[in-house]
Amino acid sequence: MNQPSQLSDKAIKNAIPEKKKRPKLTMKQSKYLFVYICLLLPIIFYLGIRIIPTLYTFNIGFREWNILSPEKPFVGLENYATLFNDEVFRKSLVNTAIFIVIGVIGQVVIGLFIALLLQRINRFVGFFRVIYFIPYVTSIVAVSWVFRWLFMNNGFMNEMLVTIGIPPQLFLNSPNQAIFVIIGTMIWQALGFQMVIFLAGLENIPSTFYEAADVDGASPFQKLKMITIPLLNPTIVFSVVIGSINFIQVSFTQVVNMSVDSAGGPLHSTLTIVVYIYQLAFRQYSMGLASAATVVLFLFILALTIFQMKVLTKKFDY
Amino acid sequence: MKKSWFNAWLLLAILFLAACSEEDSDEGDSAEGEGTSDAVVEIDYWQYAFDSKVNLMDELIAEFEEANPDIKVNQTNFPYEQYNEKVAAQVPAGNGPNVINLFYGWVPLYVDSGYLQPLPQDEFPHEEIEEEFFPMVEATKLDDEYWTIPTAVRTLALFYNKDLFEEAGLDPEQPPTNWDELVDYSKQLTKRDANDRLEQAGMAWEPSQQGHHWFRDALIYQAGGEGLSEDRQTIKWDDSPAGFEAFQYWLDFPLTHKVAERNFYTDDVTAFMTGHAAMNIDGSFRLGTLQNDAPDLNYGIAPLPSKNEEATQSSFWTNGITATTEGAELEASVKFLKFLTSDEVMERWLEEIGELPAKQKVAQQDKYLQDERYGAFIEQLPNAQAHFFIDETRERDLVIRAVDRVLLEGVDPKEAYDELVEDTQALFDEYWGNR
């Protein structure tokens, strides 16, 4: 009762071991305590399923472990050395970079384009929004298989090509084309999400800017370049960051379902880092290598996100 | 107010205690089971989740428990993908199974990790196993011990579409029997459209499905070659010209004869099921799929077409006893394993699941040899090979890569083949080097 009413964390902690004394808390103090306990539970959960496993992965990355063996001998940086000497791993890094660069740029540019078009029209807006948004809420596995059938040797795409006199293409069977077919599918599927984000961003640009520009006689392109793009910058940064992370994660399901051997083929041309990690861990049971690869992926995403935050975020004041 | 503070901590404490006591009570139970001999012995049986197997096993366990009232068997199932993870997590914690069902290719990993104990020789004498079972069960004989024993096995055979045979003017009761006939038939069964695109494949050809097994365990042996040395350390494909002959023959289907394409109608099973491929090499495990997904398909099954020798590939799921099982539990486990490998269970396994009996005497009964579905698979069992896999995924990938190098990059088949032999040998060297 005689303690100061602004009870700090420290005071609570000190109070706990002194159970026997049973310090009498004020109503305010016990209220705080209740709040802290409630806040603590999600943190414990988060620690248990995120932080501790992550640290554990870092640890396993320095060890050799085939998932079943009881011992996990420490091997230092050997796993990392093996990975960087492994041409398949290097190929998966390059592929992941291609997925992100082409996928994210394509997704953002086309998404913005569609949002701008949709903003222009007054009729059937709802209809078009639904049309563009449906792919986003469709199951990835279903979409992957539909595209696999569209692009197979005897599929619809080759049928079209032959009809207009172009020789049939290998598409998913070709080490040069397969990755782009998969990226195209992913862009198509993510467009709906990008469109919604950009539409929301466009709504926030006051129309007075455009009116002023009209008075000055600005062309549509000038308006886009000088008003829309700069004011959309926060939205674009958000889209790019979310898109990149999505591309790294989602590329797993797409690649597994669309690549010809379900493992990043042909000739590892569509293999991404996440697919390779899965194969190392749960097909070859090299948990050490898989953990090391996961750490590399972690650093890769970290670096990418920091880079995007620093480079893309600019302040515009009007 | 004091109350709410107190209650919150009490709640946490209860949660904590509850979490701990759960483990305690588990240990208590198992200790009790071992201590009192009159009480019912409980053993755990694990297999992967495959509906028909799980259901049959439930029935079998009920019968076994009726015959042995002092034993209780608990069945636990995990999805195929998570199976090894679960074992790795549960066995060291003391919650693992007593009898475990494993894919034969995993057994070396389990033996090396110390999870299995050798089958007791007084109950499963080596001479008896070698006399009664088909020779491929030796694939899990390591360090001169049998570590596991299967109920049933699977083999590959030629599936062919009788309607398409008739359409092409071939006798649907006379499937190809040798290498040359197989090529000849596939050519006659292939259709191309006006733009020279494949419309109907004479042969479904898929290295990533059963194709690599067909090459490794059937074609090489048929050409007169061998797979592995006696000590399983050396790949012997290159010891005779047979290895390359088999590779070339296999590759010629898409490369020279152009009767097949990779990923035609996405995969071989789909192509065959939808009538776009006239023949396919597939396993006995596909019978169930065809029955469910293509009940109207009019197809026949024949032994694999052969050359100098007859051979087919086989694989199996097999049962072992875990290293931590002892005393009364071990006795019960052995009894259960004997039951699982009894003649009656093998017959039911064939009739209800479609996997072939692992014992020669049971498999080679007239009623099975004459069966139009199982006959061809069973007929080939004495010539079946089960490759000793170091790492099935990586060995499969090497074969696929060799094929892709030739088909997509235009590399000379001999060069791709030499690379395949070398890289596969490197995998084996790595494995034996670490052992």
Side-chain angles (χ1 to χ4, degrees), chain B residues 41-273:
Chain B
V41 181
E42 270 193 46
I43 57 171
D44 287 305
Y45 171 79
W46 282 16
Q47 71 170 343
Y48 72 114
F50 189 83
D51 281 349
S52 58
K53 287 189 179 183
V54 175
N55 294 340
L56 176 61
M57 191 50 82
D58 280 339
E59 284 174 33
L60 291 174
I61 287 173
E63 287 164 30
F64 178 75
E65 284 175 347
E66 207 170 309
N68 300 278
D70 55 337
I71 303 178
K72 187 174 177 334
V73 184
N74 303 313
Q75 182 183 199
T76 310
N77 311 107
F78 296 109
Y80 176 81
E81 293 79 22
Q82 298 167 16
Y83 201 72
N84 290 323
E85 278 171 80
K86 296 286 178 194
V87 174
Q90 304 275 327
V91 173
N95 298 326
N98 301 103
V99 179
I100 182 166
N101 187 243
L102 297 170
F103 186 65
Y104 86 98
W106 297 342
V107 173
L109 185 69
Y110 276 72
V111 172
D112 289 351
S113 305
Y115 282 4
L116 294 178
Q117 53 177 301
L119 299 180
Q121 294 210 18
D122 48 338
E123 295 288 344
F124 296 95
H126 286 188
E127 312 80 62
E128 206 179 291
I129 294 180
E130 273 148 36
E131 196 190 301
E132 289 185 350
F133 285 77
F134 284 106
M136 72 271 233
V137 300
E138 282 193 45
T140 65
K141 188 180 184 184
L142 289 153
D143 304 329
D144 218 32
E145 290 281 3
Y146 280 96
W147 299 82
T148 64
I149 193 82
T151 303
V153 296
R154 302 99 59 102
T155 57
L156 292 185
L158 175 74
F159 287 63
Y160 63 98
N161 187 318
K162 289 187 174 176
D163 291 344
L164 297 182
F165 263 53
E166 244 169 86
E167 213 181 281
L170 295 166
D171 182 354
E173 300 313 321
Q174 297 289 322
T177 56
N178 59 43
W179 279 22
D180 294 335
E181 273 179 23
L182 184 66
V183 171
D184 189 44
Y185 276 50
S186 346
K187 283 181 181 165
Q188 294 186 48
L189 288 160
T190 301
K191 280 193 216 157
R192 287 182 176 275
D193 70 4
N195 294 307
D196 202 34
R197 289 198 302 148
L198 194 62
E199 224 172 21
Q200 178 184 310
M203 186 77 197
W205 193 87
E206 196 53 67
S208 61
Q209 300 276 337
Q210 304 308 315
H212 69 112
H213 294 302
W214 183 32
F215 159 69
R216 195 187 294 111
D217 278 334
L219 292 175
I220 291 179
Y221 287 88
Q222 289 173 350
E226 263 185 289
L228 269 180
S229 61
E230 198 70 15
D231 61 4
R232 296 174 178 161
Q233 302 202 1
T234 321
I235 298 284
K236 296 186 75 174
W237 301 345
D238 247 1
D239 281 14
S240 71
F244 181 63
E245 193 187 343
F247 186 71
Q248 180 82 55
Y249 173 77
W250 183 51
L251 210 55
D252 271 343
F253 283 92
L255 191 69
T256 316
H257 311 312
K258 303 206 179 294
V259 295
E261 250 171 35
R262 264 202 82 178
N263 310 304
F264 185 63
Y265 280 87
T266 68
D267 59 90
D268 59 334
V269 184
T270 314
F272 183 75
M273 222 152 55

Side-chain angles (χ1 to χ4, degrees), chain A residues 202-312:
Chain A
L202 287 172
E203 295 294 319
N204 284 335
I205 301 178
S207 57
T208 46
F209 291 142
Y210 292 109
E211 284 156 15
D214 281 336
V215 172
D216 290 345
S219 71
F221 179 72
Q222 280 171 323
K223 279 193 278 186
L224 177 74
K225 195 179 148 207
M226 309 304 285
I227 301 174
T228 314
I229 303 281
L231 284 174
L232 266 185
N233 189 271
T235 316
I236 293 174
V237 174
F238 174 77
S239 274
V240 169
V241 173
I242 292 291
S244 309
I245 293 173
N246 244 358
F247 250 88
I248 294 172
Q249 293 175 339
V250 172
S251 59
F252 180 79
T253 320
Q254 309 267 14
V255 171
V256 165
N257 284 292
M258 286 183 76
S259 64
V260 287
D261 53 1
S262 304
L267 290 169
H268 305 303
S269 64
T270 59
L271 184 73
T272 58
I273 208 173
V274 271
V275 176
Y276 196 49
I277 289 172
Y278 178 79
Q279 286 180 342
L280 285 173
F282 302 111
R283 288 286 172 269
Q284 300 179 16
Y285 306 114
S286 315
M287 301 308 278
L289 278 181
S291 302
T294 310
V295 174
V296 175
L297 175 66
F298 166 77
L299 295 176
F300 187 90
I301 299 181
L302 187 70
L304 187 75
T305 310
I306 292 175
F307 170 81
Q308 287 170 342
M309 295 290 207
K310 291 266 180 243
V311 172
L312 296 177

